[in-house]
Structures are given as C-alpha cells and as structure tokens.
Amino acid sequence: MRKKDSGDRLQHFIWKYPELRALLEAYQIPYVPEMTMTEMLTAVPDKWLRDKGLDRRTLVKLIKEAAWEDGLPGEPGFCPAEETGGTRQTGPAGLSHSGKGNDQDGEAAPDLKELAVREGTDKSGNPEGAELILKKGDVICVTGTTGSGKTRLLEDIEYLASGDTPSKRKIYINGKLPDQNMRDKLENRMCAYLAQSMNFVMELSCEAFIRMHAACRGIQGSGVLTEQVIDCANQLAGEAFTGETMITQLSGGQSRALMIADLVYISAAPVVLIDEPENAGIDKHAVIDLLSGSGRIVLISTHDPVLALSCPRRIVLKNGGISGILDRTEEEIELLARLRKYDDEVNDVRVMLRSGGRIGKP
Amino acid sequence: MKMLTFAGAHACGKTSVIIKTAAILNETGLKTGVMKLDCIFSDDDSLYRAAGITNIKMISGNVCPDHFFAVSVPQVFEWGLENRLDVLITESAGLCGRCAPHIRDIPAVCVIDCLAGISAPAKTGPMLRYADHIIITKADLVSPAEREVFLHNVRIANTRARISLINGLTGQGAYRLAAYIRQQGETEEIRGKYLRFTMPSAECSYCAGQTVIDDAPAAGRIKYAWAAGGGTG
Ligand SMILES: Nc1nc2c(ncn2[C@@H]2O[C@H](COP(=O)(O)OP(=O)(O)OP(=O)(O)O)[C@@H](O)[C@H]2O)c(=O)[nH]1
Ligand SMILES: [Mg+2]
C-alpha cells in the first residue's frame, strides 16, 4: 500500500473544509480521520447510502461541492437550532449590511446602489405615469386603494421582473437589466418580504432563534448581537421581552418588532418590502427611523396616513400602474406633526387602559 | 409534449401551485393536463375540474404507490398524447418519502412548505434531492428569518436545483415556474427511461397481506432493526 501523505487524509480536508464534516455528519457517513477520501468512499456500503436516500455519485458530487470545486465556496451544514461549529468565521459579528455574511451559495448579496422600475403598464395597457428610481437608503411608501396593484409592484421587485409579468415592468439593478445568470443568483436573496400574515412557527427561545439565523448567515452569533436585536425589538414594541421568551409566545406587536430588528441586524437582503404593517401595534416612527438608517431600500405598502406621511416620498398606484411619485410637502410635514400628537395620545390611552386606569369619576 | 413530475408531502401546496401555473401556461396557448396519484383518497380532481384543467386521478390503494406510479406512467403518457396536451404534469404526494417519482431526462419538481419545520429539507429525501426545481410554498406564513433559514437548508439538501418561492394562494411567483416549464424540451417517449432513484427492497409476507405483529420472522427479504449482525447500524 502506498504511504499516505498527511495531506491526503480525511482529517486534513475536514480541518480545511468545515462544510465537509457537516456534510458527513448530516448524512451519518461512517469514516475514520486517518482514511483517504477514496478509502472512505469505497468503504461505505451501497445499502447504507440507499438508507440515507443517496447513491455514490451523488455523494461524490456533494463532497466536491462542499470541498473543492472552484467558484463554489463551501456552505455551512444544515442549520440546527444552535450555531454549528462548522460555520466559517466572517470577521467581527454585528451589523452585516456589507453583505459579508456567508450567503446561501457562499456569495454575498450584491452591493445595490440603485434599483429602477421601468417600462411598466397599467391594467389597461397604458404606460405607467412615472418611472421609479430608488437609491440605497431610501424609505418610500406605496399607497393606493385595495386592488390598485400595490402587491403586484412589490412582487415585481421581489422577482426581478423582466417584462415577463402582467405589468410588463423591468427591474434595473445599478442601471443594468440583470441577465438570466445574475437573476438566478439574486433570486431569493435580493428582498426580505414581510407580509401581514407572517408569524413565527418554530419552537425556540428568542435568543436561540437569533443565533440560528446568524449561524445560517455565517455570522458567529455573539451574545452582543443577540442583545442588540432584542433591545432594538423592545424599543419598537411597547412590552419588553427577554432572550428566554419563546418566539411563539410573543404578542403580534412583539413578533413584528423582532422580525424588523432581525431584518436590520442579521438579514443581508438589500431590499426590504413591508406589506401593511400598521395593525401590529408597534412604534411607527421608531420603525421608520430604524429602517432609514439601515442602508437598505425599503418599500412600505400602507393605508395608514401617519406611516404614509412619515416617508419622504410616496408612490401612488392606480389601475395597476404607478400614477405618480410624490415628494412630501412642507404642509404635509406640519400635518404629520399634528397627527403624531394624536397618535401618541391614542397610545398613551391604550397603555393607561391596559394597566387598569380610568379617566374621570364613575 | 413537455412532461414534468411534481412531488411533495401531503397538503404542501402542489395542487395550488399547479393550478396557478397552468393558468399562466394556458393563457400563452400551452394546454396543460395533470395526472394525480394518491394512496387512499384525493379530491384534487374536483379542484382541477373547477379550474378547467384536463386531469386524471389514480388511487394506488393496496399497492406501493411508487411501484404503482412506475408501472402506470407509460399509460399516463399515452393519455396525455391522446388529449393533445402541450404540458403533462404528474402530481404525487409525499407517500412514504423513501422514493421519488422523478425520471431521468424529465424535469423534476419538488414542492415543500415552510411550515414543515426546518429539518424537513434534510428529511425529505430523494424527492427533494433529485429534483431540478424546488418550490417553497407558504412563505407568507413564516417570518423572513425562518424563511431564510429554510431556504438555506433546502439549498444544502440540493445544491443543484433552482429554488423558487411561490404563494399557492395568490400565485405570487408562479410566473417563474411557468417560464421554467416553457423552456423545457419535449419528451417524445417515456418507455426506456430510468427512474432517478431506486425503489426500496421489500418483499415479504406483509406485502402479501399479513397483518399480525409477531417475533417470528416474516418470510422474504426484509431487514430487522435488532437482528443479530444486521440492523440499521
Ligand atoms: N397560506 C398559504 N396557504 C397555502 C399556500 N399554498 C397552498 N396553501 C394551502 O394549503 C392547502 C393545501 O394545498 P394543496 O394545493 O391542496 O396541497 P397538495 O400538496 O396538492 O395536497 P395533496 O394533493 O392533498 O397532497 C390549501 O388549503 C391551500 O390553500 C401558500 O403559499 N400560502
Ligand atoms: Mg393536491
């Protein structure tokens, strides 16, 4: 038998590619670290592989993808409820706006500077009234009656429409229409979509949940990051919760707040789409402030006047098309200040009633 | 005729996604038909009928559904040709998850829903692992973070497949799947093609109707969890 070079041995590869170990463990492939890769592959019985729903060819392919193929950086293992030891260190944990996290294909989300929506038509086939150009850091509100096409617009952006949806809209990224290759890469990671019906479904504590999400993004989930996210969420929702609270026990407002805080601190998506957030009982002004400073492009579809006026610009939709893009006027800013006072008053009364208070004598 | 195999656990949203996608395909002049296979009961035929989609329903009953699928699929193919379909879709539920109805050279789609839990992608097996296109449904019901973790786990279970999120209720995202189907080549003949994954080896007295639970070995080729020297390892 040939003398083994230590560089041939499995232990060497496992040390070099943590993803490889995660893969072998995920499929429970038996191995001895002193074996070579080939020995390991020949030693594992067919029957064993079939029990795991694999065959040898697929296993080899998976190993190649985990460990060798150029341009296909490895991926961390299945994300368990706790951080895996196998994820890659990606520099200091914390705000990951730079998109430095280990994304699902090992590629960071693109550096998005500008997103444009062009060449769209309304339901009658007439060209849209305005072209939409959004720059990094923009927070813009989408208004219009029910059925006016708000969700369609968000959907076109989410799926990087290229004239292939009923609206015929084309989405330009940094001034260019993405080609198929780029669209495939961007698909599923450009936008974080927060719909009204969303809820937490996992049975996890808030802390474990945040760590899991951070681990899957390749961020080493530090305690500091978890604290930041929870603090931030507590500022958005009135009632405080802790890292030990189970996510499924959070109130509607708390869940919303945690989702938004998580989007800002952990998610890498450069575009955030929020569909009608007002019913959730969270601090609207704080949300807008937080999102404005997050370096994303944020679109909020809403019927709430306070929220609509809190954004410096708003898109008006009619008959399925963009009919106008309005900048907020001086008068609207004054009106907003008044509306906020009412809003705050309503909030105060809500807190007072909830804690058993009353106004006046019975 | 283009042909696709659709597989996914019960109630994951296969029918909803197929109906939304077929509507788009029909609009562009591609007549789409569906063969639905289930083990015991299914009312998908009425859903398809209501949506105006040509369909045929098959219940495997007492026979292993994957074996049933493999022996029936040539006739299903003929049925598609007779009905002058442009697109033939086979829908089969998760069944036991050990096998997959996916056939080599025929585009394979796996549907999985976000509510199935984050370990579902790892557990789903060949149905997902051998698919070319994975559809994630019910993303409208979970938080963006859970959706991202789910997507990540699907990606690890199948690094090759294209992944799309589709909302089965609104049809959001179905355009992508319709475009994918339009790009697929024609399947001229199904006889002589190979399944992507083997079926389990089981042939014992239970297959022939035995129901009693007993220590006495069932006759045939079957492995035992605690048998001397054997076992699941
Ligand atoms: N909220 C939500 N519900 C969905 C979605 N997709 C499907 N559903 C619902 O899930 C349920 C099951 O959907 P079906 O399309 O019948 O699932 P199926 O996979 O065809 O089920 P079987 O054929 O019985 O195995 C239905 O009530 C759908 O309305 C989705 O994206 N979001
Ligand atoms: Mg169905």
Side-chain angles (χ1 to χ4, degrees):
Chain A
M1 202 165 104
R2 192 166 67 91
K3 192 170 159 282
K4 275 179 239 166
D5 184 344
S6 70
D8 276 359
R9 294 189 193 174
L10 218 45
Q11 65 190 15
H12 166 76
F13 294 114
I14 284 170
W15 171 80
K16 192 165 163 200
Y17 302 105
E19 298 82 4
L20 180 61
R21 185 171 73 204
L23 179 96
L24 296 178
E25 279 166 10
Y27 292 118
Q28 297 165 359
I29 306 293
Y31 66 88
V32 185
E34 284 76 30
M35 283 176 162
T36 65
M37 187 66 81
T38 324
E39 281 168 348
M40 186 268 292
L41 280 170
T42 21
V44 47
D46 270 336
K47 183 166 125 313
W48 184 287
L49 290 173
R50 274 202 305 273
D51 282 351
K52 308 277 183 284
L54 273 181
D55 61 26
R56 214 170 296 270
R57 248 194 10 223
T58 317
L59 179 64
V60 171
K61 210 162 70 196
L62 285 171
I63 290 177
K64 271 194 188 150
E65 280 164 359
W68 284 295
E69 232 156 68
D70 259 350
L72 239 182
E75 308 187 49
F78 286 108
C79 251
E82 275 298 325
E83 199 183 322
T84 53
T87 50
R88 232 173 234 179
Q89 182 79 42
T90 51
L95 298 184
S96 54
H97 301 162
S98 53
K100 285 281 154 53
N102 194 355
D103 223 307
Q104 37 159 338
D105 281 345
E107 264 175 80
D111 187 16
L112 179 70
K113 295 193 190 71
E114 187 195 279
L115 186 151
V117 181
R118 302 204 174 110
E119 296 163 52
T121 59
D122 66 12
K123 282 180 195 159
S124 328
N126 302 315
E128 283 185 308
E131 224 175 60
L132 179 61
I133 297 176
L134 298 165
K135 295 240 178 335
K136 193 170 167 171
D138 278 356
V139 177
I140 190 164
C141 156
V142 184
T143 60
T145 52
T146 307
S148 60
K150 298 196 291 289
T151 305
R152 174 90 256 162
L153 175 65
L154 299 189
E155 185 187 346
D156 285 344
I157 295 176
E158 183 178 16
Y159 291 97
L160 296 171
S162 59
D164 53 352
T165 63
S167 67
K168 303 278 182 288
R169 289 190 182 109
K170 290 185 181 161
I171 309 295
Y172 289 76
I173 305 283
N174 296 339
K176 280 203 291 276
L177 194 65
D179 58 16
Q180 190 56 45
N181 183 19
M182 178 152 173
R183 280 163 54 133
D184 290 350
K185 272 191 192 141
L186 293 180
E187 198 176 22
N188 306 331
R189 69 180 69 173
M190 254 272 295
C191 297
Y193 194 93
L194 196 53
Q196 205 167 19
S197 52
M198 279 179 174
N199 237 313
F200 288 116
V201 294
M202 289 180 193
E203 272 300 323
L204 286 179
S205 70
C206 292
E207 186 177 342
F209 172 77
I210 296 164
R211 279 177 184 278
M212 178 190 67
H213 188 199
C216 127
R217 297 262 7 271
I219 306 167
Q220 299 282 305
S222 70
V224 182
L225 180 61
T226 315
E227 256 172 52
Q228 276 175 330
V229 175
I230 292 176
D231 276 356
C232 171
N234 278 330
Q235 276 162 28
L236 301 182
E239 298 159 285
F241 60 91
T242 66
E244 280 94 64
T245 316
M246 300 299 281
I247 49 172
T248 45
Q249 281 168 2
L250 299 176
S251 71
Q254 288 171 330
S255 311
R256 261 311 154 112
L258 181 58
M259 286 179 204
I260 292 174
D262 172 274
L263 275 181
V264 169
Y265 281 88
I266 299 178
S267 165
V271 179
V272 175
L273 308 172
I274 304 183
D275 217 350
E276 310 191 12
E278 54 270 12
N279 298 338
I282 48 176
D283 186 335
K284 294 165 207 161
H285 328 312
V287 169
I288 300 283
D289 285 349
L290 178 70
L291 291 171
S292 304
S294 69
R296 314 281 167 93
I297 290 175
V298 182
L299 283 98
I300 306 175
S301 140
T302 185
H303 293 290
D304 180 312
V306 178
L307 203 58
L309 291 176
S310 298
C311 302
R313 269 197 306 164
R314 59 183 188 272
I315 305 167
V316 184
L317 283 157
K318 265 188 202 134
N319 190 29
I322 299 176
S323 78
I325 299 170
L326 308 180
D327 284 312
R328 189 170 53 183
T329 63
E330 284 305 317
E331 285 81 352
E332 285 171 348
I333 296 179
E334 278 166 33
L335 173 64
L336 174 65
R338 283 212 307 282
L339 290 181
R340 276 191 173 170
K341 276 205 203 97
Y342 291 129
D343 225 36
D344 290 344
E345 195 178 333
V346 170
N347 259 333
D348 290 345
V349 175
R350 182 182 298 131
V351 171
M352 192 268 299
L353 292 179
R354 217 166 20 195
S355 57
R358 68 169 18 160
I359 297 161
K361 291 204 172 71
Chain B
M1 183 171 67
K2 298 175 195 298
M3 181 177 169
L4 291 101
T5 53
F6 258 69
H10 270 130
C12 66
K14 296 180 295 299
T15 305
S16 314
V17 168
I18 294 173
I19 288 178
K20 298 288 183 213
T21 312
I24 299 168
L25 291 172
N26 283 334
E27 247 173 54
T28 55
L30 289 178
K31 184 179 174 194
T32 306
V34 184
M35 186 282 287
K36 163 73 188 185
L37 167 65
D38 215 323
C39 311
I40 296 169
F41 171 82
S42 172
D43 51 9
D44 280 357
D45 49 336
S46 56
L47 295 175
Y48 286 124
R49 220 174 15 250
I53 297 170
T54 313
N55 73 95
I56 180 172
K57 179 170 79 172
M58 296 187 159
I59 298 290
S60 58
N62 202 22
V63 177
C64 160
D66 289 288
H67 286 83
F68 185 92
F69 177 85
V71 299
S72 316
V73 79
Q75 282 135 288
V76 172
F77 193 80
E78 293 303 325
W79 169 83
L81 293 177
E82 277 160 26
N83 281 274
R84 302 186 173 281
L85 298 182
D86 298 306
V87 181
L88 168 65
I89 294 176
T90 65
E91 175 191 341
S92 47
L95 315 173
C96 75
R98 161 58 178 72
C99 310
H102 302 322
I103 301 167
R104 273 188 231 161
D105 307 326
I106 291 182
V109 180
C110 175
V111 184
I112 184 165
D113 72 277
C114 284
L115 299 180
I118 48 162
S119 54
K123 288 189 285 200
T124 304
M127 214 162 31
L128 183 123
R129 208 161 292 139
Y130 288 82
D132 303 311
H133 197 145
I134 297 167
I135 308 290
I136 301 177
T137 55
K138 306 192 189 178
D140 54 319
L141 298 177
V142 305
S143 67
E146 286 163 305
R147 174 174 145 172
E148 203 176 333
V149 174
F150 195 79
L151 204 65
H152 172 87
N153 285 348
V154 168
R155 179 46 81 208
I156 287 177
N158 185 333
T159 48
R160 195 177 47 89
R162 169 124 182 244
I163 304 176
S164 304
L165 289 131
I166 297 183
N167 183 325
L169 292 183
T170 61
Q172 195 166 336
Y175 274 88
R176 278 306 176 81
L177 179 60
Y180 170 83
I181 294 176
R182 253 181 259 122
Q183 286 161 11
Q184 301 309 311
E186 306 282 310
T187 301
E188 309 289 345
E189 172 61 282
I190 188 143
R191 290 174 186 81
K193 291 208 187 296
Y194 288 87
L195 288 171
R196 296 193 186 197
F197 195 66
T198 58
M199 297 206 193
S201 43
E203 197 189 296
C204 64
S205 38
Y206 288 106
C207 299
Q210 177 182 333
T211 50
V212 62
I213 305 292
D214 196 359
D215 273 341
R221 308 167 47 215
I222 198 85
K223 69 176 178 182
Y224 296 84
W226 273 282
T232 53

